[in-house]
Amino acid sequence: MQRAEILKRVIGILTEAQEIRRAVEAGEDDERAELEPSVVTQMLNEMLPAISVPADATPQEVARSVAGALGPVLQTMISGFTLAFTSLAMTHDGGQDDVSSAEVLRTLALQVEAGMFDEGA
């Protein structure tokens, strides 16, 4: 999965978390949520690579395979959460009361889509 796709999914997770919180605070009860995997779980699953190891692999080989497959994805996910937090914090600390966190995340998603945070950019 491309870096930009991972970053967009991280922003999507944060956006969905806001929606969940809003629904809980409003007292909305969605019974489907108990039956279906959450959007957050789906986005996480989409970001994580499939890992296959030979049946006769040693524990060390399994660990190397898992670390090799997950390491870059987890690093990009952490970068995405850090980027989102920093963007939200800068808006908050800058006293921009007229900008909602949803708007900050939307702007960030558009910047990611435009390639502003591509590696090497």
Side-chain angles (χ1 to χ4, degrees), residues 68-83:
L70 291 180
V73 173
L74 293 176
Q75 183 177 1
T76 303
M77 287 171 60
I78 291 167
S79 294
F81 281 110
T82 302
L83 177 63

Side-chain angles (χ1 to χ4, degrees), residues 2 15-16 19 26-27 34 38 49 51-53 56 63 80 84 96 102 115:
Q2 298 282 337
T15 302
E16 181 65 17
E19 182 59 28
E34 295 176 12
S38 74
I51 302 170
S52 43
V53 293
D56 61 346
Q96 297 180 23

Side-chain angles (χ1 to χ4, degrees), residues 10-90:
V10 166
I11 294 166
I13 288 169
L14 293 172
T15 302
E16 181 65 17
Q18 285 184 316
E19 182 59 28
I20 292 168
R21 180 177 175 182
R22 185 206 58 77
V24 168
E25 288 175 351
E28 297 172 8
D29 185 22
D30 187 0
E31 295 177 11
R32 292 180 319 164
E34 295 176 12
L35 302 175
E36 299 175 1
S38 74
V39 172
V40 172
T41 301
Q42 289 174 356
M43 283 189 273
L44 282 170
N45 287 337
E46 290 170 356
M47 285 188 280
L48 298 175
I51 302 170
S52 43
V53 293
D56 61 346
T58 66
Q60 293 82 7
E61 291 169 332
V62 172
R64 274 193 298 274
S65 293
V66 170
L70 291 180
V73 173
L74 293 176
Q75 183 177 1
T76 303
M77 287 171 60
I78 291 167
S79 294
F81 281 110
T82 302
L83 177 63
F85 172 80
T86 302
S87 298
L88 291 164
M90 289 173 61

Side-chain angles (χ1 to χ4, degrees), residues 84-105:
F85 172 80
T86 302
S87 298
L88 291 164
M90 289 173 61
T91 301
H92 175 269
D93 293 349
Q96 297 180 23
D97 296 337
D98 59 334
V99 179
S100 71
S101 56
E103 291 170 316
V104 172
L105 292 173

